[in-house]
Each structure stands twice: as structure tokens, then as C-alpha cells.
Amino acid sequence: MGAAAGRMDGAGGDRNGFGGGSRRMLRRLRDAMARAATPRERLDEIVRIVAADMAAEVCSIYVRRSDRTLELCATEGLAPEAVGRTRLRVGEGLVGDIAATARPLALSDAQSHPKFAYRPETGEEIYQSLMGAPVLRSDRLLGVIAVQNRTRRQYSDEDIETLETFAMALAEPLGAGGLVEDSGGEAARRARPAPIDGLSLVPGLAIGRAFPHRRPVAPSRVVAEDPDAERERLEAAVRALNRRLDRLVDGAALPRAGEHAEVLDAYRMFARDRGWLDRMREAVGRGLTAEAAARRALDDARARIGRVSDPYLRERLADFEALADELTGLLAAGDGGNAAGDAAAARPEPPEDAVLVARALGPADLLAYDRERLRAVVLEEGSAAAHVSIVARALGIPTVGRASGVLSEVEPGDPMVVDGDNGRVFPRPGEEALAQFRRSLEARRAERALFAADRDKPCAMRDGARISLRLNAGLLADLPQLAATGAEGIGLYRTEIPFMVRPEIPDVEAQTDLYRRIVEGAGGRPVVFRALDAGGDKRLDALPVGAEDNPAMGWRSLRILLDRPALLRRQVRALIRASAGRELRLMFPMVSDVAEFDRARRAVEREMERAREAGSGLPSALRLGAMVEIPALLWQMDALLRRADFVSVGSNDLLQFVFAADRGSELVARRYDPLSAPFLRALRTIAAACARAGAPVSVCGEMAGRPLEALALAGLGYRSLSMAAASIGPVKRALMAADGGETAAFLEGLLASGEERPREALAAFARDRGIPA
Ligand code: PEP
Ligand code: MG
């Protein structure tokens, strides 16, 4: 009931959300701001108006401070003493979550949400529902506006839109500094911020100057004066958009083949998507301007997928946002068509050493910049499978994702260091640190030259123990790394990565073609394919799995393949065809018990039989392996090794399950150490069982790519390690400097002695022997 009252008087009940109600409400807000004498009074007026308008008992404004906290600056309904006292970190509590994700949130039962952070001084325990929206200016977070209700209120889409409209109206004055006395002031904001930990998306170290990717501002004109003319503007801008994308994609200095090409083609298709175009045409038909229609279509998409916290779906939204931005930019550039192709010219030119900073980017956004000027990319969102990451990888631009708060931290031109190898960003590092990074950049260059000198040498420890170093890959764009690093083959080819960039599961022909290109690209080096590892942290558009409380432990990976035999059959058939005349190595992820492995093996053998009967070319040999990443397999090793031709330890998942620590959770992902006694013992059990059975064993999780961890693995008896390309050089150098027998004896002693800090002890061992680990 409250919601309806708020709507009537507020944003207007129409789906346009920018109707007369909205305008009235915004006018009231403006008048109130003009009346108030001090910034504080202005904020107090705003929260009063919004609370009344939205029929909420509480309205509060939190302003982002320089130390990445949010401070309660005004409230209607919460205890007035809390103003200026209540602070939340970005990411903390529901308000912090809205700030971190820059997305609105509406919860009828806010208090039972796991992120709810109770602040007793506010007296908020009596309010059950909460809805909040970020206040953003050019993607930069300025604060959060939130309303709360005593009863369990189901906020509607229109309620959310209304609050977002208020948030939009707040952005201008808040950004201009007209609303709050900033306790820290500019000086505090300019202070040297702490490094930001994110996710490594494309490796490499870069030093440059911040260049925030500007998104067009929200349209100021929403209601069209002449709908026919508006329709024409929209159509002209859409044509211009298509021309522009064609020019960007076709003109890009990128190899023709590879997933990036598919990503860009899919993006081009997306721009021609009828659903999207129809939604915009409809909105123009209802009287909106073309800009407002583009915004409306985007809001619809956000409403459909944007409010879920699933990072994968949010990545899909990034494509949509980028397209809407592009279209808005074209419309702003002129008559929406003729001058529009040159919206790019209207963009400010990045400096020659630009670090592009954005919340999210579409894959074509990168191509719109001069590659020569881009040193690195830093995103607040992003994942390895995001379209923009795939294109950045193909372009070789060091990229860090999930750098939360970076947009608010940097001003254009600020010096920045981006460490794509370790997923860290250093905004305004200071002269001394900058000089240090420059030296480090030089050192890495020199180091790379050193690695290149070792590239063609086999990796042998000082006593001759041979360790085979292989590459983890998932894209065709990774193949050139084989020659560049001297890797002996591909130890893990993640077949789900190419699936992730497609809207549907590729058919047998398409898969055959892809796998054949990989096998051929490997030029005779062995390739270990991993059967589709979907689900958990690897979401596929083409294979939606329902929501589960614990997706990492849910219906995923081999479990899906066994329940969807046609999916497995198609993949195996394609792998058999692609490997005709060559050895086929295939391993199954997330094996929980040997019976699952048996079923998978039977499915492969049936496909081999079929191929034989059909007289089509067969692989010269077939080797089937199991990934050890579920602890239950540790107690089935002997039985497993009677069935499997080889095993590979997926230490990322094994670590997550051994310690029950979600690898995707910021709070716990780095909490447990693979170089701890329990994990080393688990690894020793696996290695020992394989040695008894004479079965080849490797490790293909991330630990294999870290020199000290690789040394420990060699000491435990592992003779094959598979890792990211950037790790091969450093790991090889460390292993070649160590003695295999001595390292094995040291590890044995370490585990027998009950040493509580194996990492420190191993690091000291390496240091004493001059091993660069
Ligand atoms: C692992 O779990 O260690 C592994 C190599 O597989 P992924 O990281 O793809 O799950
Ligand atoms: Mg895994």
C-alpha cells in the first residue's frame, strides 16, 4: 500500500519512470535544495522529501569518504546521534554492498540477509525492509541513498526506479561538493591510498596514468517533442552503431581466428538483436527520446538480470551497458547518424601511457582506444571469462579485475601501477615506490630475457631429476605461449572456457574444429583435454543450472555430464574426431568416486566403438585420467589407479574442499595455505599412491605455478606441473637451481617433525641454497 502511495505522488505509475510525477518530484527536490542555507540542511531536506515520497519510515544518505568508508550524513527516521558516527566500509553491510556492486538492492527481509551489519547507535532494529541505490557520477561512487520500512515491504520495480532517479538527481550536487562538508577534504583524498587487491585477468606489470573510461551521463531530455523525428534519430544512431562496430572489429589489429573473434562477432550480433531494438522502438513509440529509450532498454535488462548477485550474469550485462553507452554517445554526437560515426573523435584522447579504469567494459570498448596508448586496464568488475578479458588477452594488455573502489580512488592523470601477475593495483604510489616499480619493471624485463635463455633447455633439477612443465590453456589465443615459454605441452585445456563465450553449446562439428585447431596448434606436443567442467564458479549461458545454496558442491562438472549423457557424447565424439591418428588424452573433473569414473570411461569407450564401426579415423592411443580435487578420492586412490591411466591434482578445488573455504569468497579464499602440513600430507598421499601404481601424476592448480609451491611439489615426488604461461620461466629457474634428492629429504623431514610453519621453513631452505623461489 505504501509503495502505491509513493508511486502516485512520486515517479509516476507509468513504466517510463521519467513521466510527469518524476519531474514534479525532482522539481520539489531542487526547490528544497535552493531553500536550504547549509549543506547539512540541504541533505536533511532531501531525506525528508524522499522518505515522504516513497512512503518509507526511514531515508538515509551515506557519503563515501576518502578512506573508502561510507558515513551516514543525513537521516530521516534513524537516530539523529548516528549522523557522522555510523560508518561502514565499502562492501560491509547492505549499504556497503550497494556501494561495492554499484547496484540497487531491495530486500523485504533485510535483517536476515547474511550481509546485514547491525549498527546499534542507529536504532534500526525495528525496520525490516531496506532498499538502496548507489549515487554515481560517471561510474564513480559518491554515496548511497537508502530507505527502510518497518513492515516487510515488497519494493516494486517502480520503487527501485524512483529511488534510482533520486540517486541520479543527488549525483550532481554531491559530486560538486555542494552537499557535505568533507571532513577529510581534498588533501585526505589525495593521500596515498592502500593497494587494491583484485583478480589477475591478463598478466604483466605496467606503469601509467589513470584514464577513467567515461560513460555518457543520464539523458537530460526524456520526453520527445516530435516522436517521428525521434524514431528517425534512433534508427540513424543504430545504423551508425553497426557501422562503427564493423569498422572497429574489422580494423582491429588482432588475429582473425580465436575466441576473441567470436566474442566480437557475438557482440556485433548483439547490436543487431531484435529484442533490444524493439524495446527501444517501443519506448520511443511511447513518447521517450531516443536517449531515454536506450536507457529504458538498459534498465529493463538490469531489472531482468542485474539484480542477481551472480557475477557471471552481471558480466553479460556489461555487454548491454557498453552498447547502450555507445548508442547514447552517438546520439549525443550530433544528429544521431551522420556525424555519429565520429563519436570517438568527441572522446578525450587518453595519455600515451593510459591505464584505463572502468567499472566494466564491453569487448569493443577496448578496440575504440588506440592500443599503443593503453598500458593496462583496471576494472571494478570482471572475470577471466568476461568478454573484455578475452579481448584484452588477445591484445596483450595487462588487466586486473574486481579492483573494488578503484574508480573512486583515482583522478584522471594519477600515476598508477598495475600488477597483472598478482592482481594488484597501486593508485598514486608515490615517487619512491614508483621508482621501485620502475626498477622492478626493468628487472622483470631482464628476468624475461633470462627465462628466454632457458626456454629451450629441459627443466632438470641439479641432480638430474626431470620435471615436465606444461601450460594451462583455455583459448586459442593461449597457444602461441607454448613456443614463447618452451612448455612441453598443455597439461590442462579447460574446454568450458570456449563454451563460456557462446550463447549455446557448440555442435559436434564446431567442437571438432576447435579441438583440431588446438591439437594442430600444439604442434605435436601432448595436450590434456579436460571434459566440460561447468557449474560452480564456471557458469555457462548455454547450460543454465538452477540456483543452489552451495553451487560449488552442487550439480556441476562430471555430475552434469553423467546426468546429461548427450552433452558428454557430443564432446567425446568431437575429441575423438579431432585426435584421429594422434594420442587423445582426456581427463574428467570433480570425480567423487570410482563408479563415476567407470561410467565416464564407458561413455568414451562406446564412442570409440561407434567411431570404429563407422570407419572414421581413430586416435592412435587413448588415455583417460581423473582429476583429484575432491577429498573423498584420497581414500580411493588404489581403486582409482586400477582404472585411470593418469591423474592430475586440481589443487584449487582440492584446497577449497579440504579446508571448506570457498575459493570465490574474498573473505576466505586466501585464508588457508597450500603449504600447510595438512595439505602437504594430502598431496603426499596422492603422490605415494601414484608411485605405487606407476601412474603418471601432475598438478594443474594454481599452486603449481608458484616457485616455492612448485619446489614443495617436486620434493613430494611430482614430476609434472601445469601452469599459466607467465609462471613457466620463474618455476623453471627455481627448480633448476634446486637438488631433487635434497628437496625430497627436506620435505620428508618437515612433515615428520610436525613443523607448524612449513612455508617459512621451506622459504628458508630455498634462501640458504640460493634457489630463487
Ligand atoms: C583446480 O581446481 O585446481 C583446477 C585446475 O581446475 P579449475 O581451477 O579450472 O577448477
Ligand atoms: Mg577444479
Side-chain angles (χ1 to χ4, degrees), residues 97-162:
D97 195 49
I98 294 165
T101 58
R103 301 265 185 268
L105 187 71
L107 298 167
S108 63
D109 181 10
Q111 299 197 4
S112 64
H113 191 281
K115 281 244 166 175
F116 183 79
Y118 174 54
R119 288 286 189 271
E121 71 277 9
T122 59
E124 65 182 338
E125 63 276 12
I126 53 173
Y127 301 106
Q128 302 228 25
S129 327
L130 178 142
M131 168 170 70
V135 181
L136 297 165
R137 194 164 75 156
S138 288
D139 257 4
R140 194 171 155 149
L141 181 90
L142 304 174
V144 170
I145 180 164
V147 294
Q148 286 171 275
N149 281 77
R150 218 181 258 265
T151 53
R152 284 197 182 186
R153 171 168 164 186
Q154 296 286 351
Y155 299 103
S156 65
D157 282 357
E158 285 81 8
D159 292 331
I160 298 174
E161 279 173 19
T162 307

Side-chain angles (χ1 to χ4, degrees), residues 196-397:
I196 301 175
D197 278 318
L199 191 69
S200 161
L201 298 179
V202 183
L205 180 71
I207 300 175
R209 279 174 291 165
F211 183 74
H213 175 71
R214 287 274 167 241
R215 300 190 49 204
V217 290
S220 51
R221 223 165 46 81
V222 268
V223 182
E225 274 134 34
D226 178 353
D228 287 339
E230 212 54 39
R231 193 167 299 117
E232 205 18 66
R233 279 185 77 226
L234 176 69
E235 299 297 338
V238 168
R239 284 195 298 275
L241 174 70
N242 290 328
R243 278 201 303 276
R244 181 168 154 69
L245 288 179
D246 287 346
R247 218 176 31 234
L248 281 179
V249 175
D250 295 337
L254 279 167
R256 286 264 156 246
E259 284 77 7
H260 59 275
E262 297 194 29
V263 158
L264 291 166
D265 279 341
Y267 187 70
R268 258 199 288 204
M269 298 297 288
F270 204 15
R272 293 178 165 89
D273 178 70
R274 284 221 75 80
W276 181 54
L277 298 176
D278 285 349
R279 261 192 291 279
M280 288 193 292
R281 285 174 186 141
E282 255 171 53
V284 165
R286 287 200 308 266
L288 292 196
T289 57
E291 290 90 338
R295 165 91 193 199
R296 162 63 51 219
L298 177 60
D299 285 346
D300 279 350
R302 283 209 181 109
R304 275 181 290 123
I305 52 177
R307 274 178 208 127
V308 293
S309 60
D310 182 334
Y312 177 72
L313 281 179
R314 295 226 320 257
E315 291 299 345
R316 303 283 78 82
L317 197 58
D319 283 355
F320 227 126
E321 287 176 339
L323 274 180
D325 281 358
E326 197 65 39
L327 195 64
T328 310
L330 289 166
L331 284 160
D335 58 3
N338 310 332
D342 300 311
R347 284 186 192 185
E349 180 153 51
E352 278 172 6
D353 54 353
V355 173
L356 189 63
V357 184
R359 179 166 301 286
L361 287 174
D365 282 330
L366 280 186
L367 302 182
Y369 290 102
D370 177 0
R371 167 68 188 92
E372 293 305 309
R373 289 173 177 268
L374 290 189
R375 291 273 193 281
V377 174
V378 179
L379 304 173
E380 293 225 345
E381 300 183 350
S383 69
H387 292 174
V388 63
S389 311
I390 289 168
V391 176
R393 210 144 131 195
L395 289 166
I397 308 174

Side-chain angles (χ1 to χ4, degrees), residues 492 494 530 533 538 627 629 650-653 663 700-701:
L492 165 65
R494 294 180 160 106
R530 175 171 77 183
D533 188 16
K538 306 179 186 89
M627 285 189 78
E629 40 189 357
S651 54
N652 305 337
D653 276 309
R663 63 192 268 190
C700 61

Side-chain angles (χ1 to χ4, degrees), residues 26-106:
L26 293 176
R27 203 172 308 121
R28 268 217 317 281
L29 211 58
R30 243 194 328 270
D31 293 348
M33 284 200 263
R35 269 197 315 275
T38 67
R40 177 70 194 265
E41 279 173 21
R42 250 172 255 155
L43 282 184
D44 288 345
E45 269 296 301
I46 293 171
V47 289
R48 255 196 303 279
I49 291 175
V50 177
D53 216 281
M54 304 220 56
E57 283 101 19
V58 174
C59 175
S60 311
I61 293 175
Y62 295 80
V63 172
R64 189 183 173 283
R65 295 300 186 199
S66 50
D67 56 354
R68 300 180 67 200
T69 58
L70 296 154
E71 182 183 313
L72 178 67
C73 280
T75 184
E76 168 77 10
L78 294 185
E81 311 82 78
V83 171
R85 274 182 61 207
T86 296
R87 282 176 169 244
L88 291 156
R89 286 189 314 277
V90 170
E92 185 192 14
L94 297 171
V95 166
D97 195 49
I98 294 165
T101 58
R103 301 265 185 268
L105 187 71

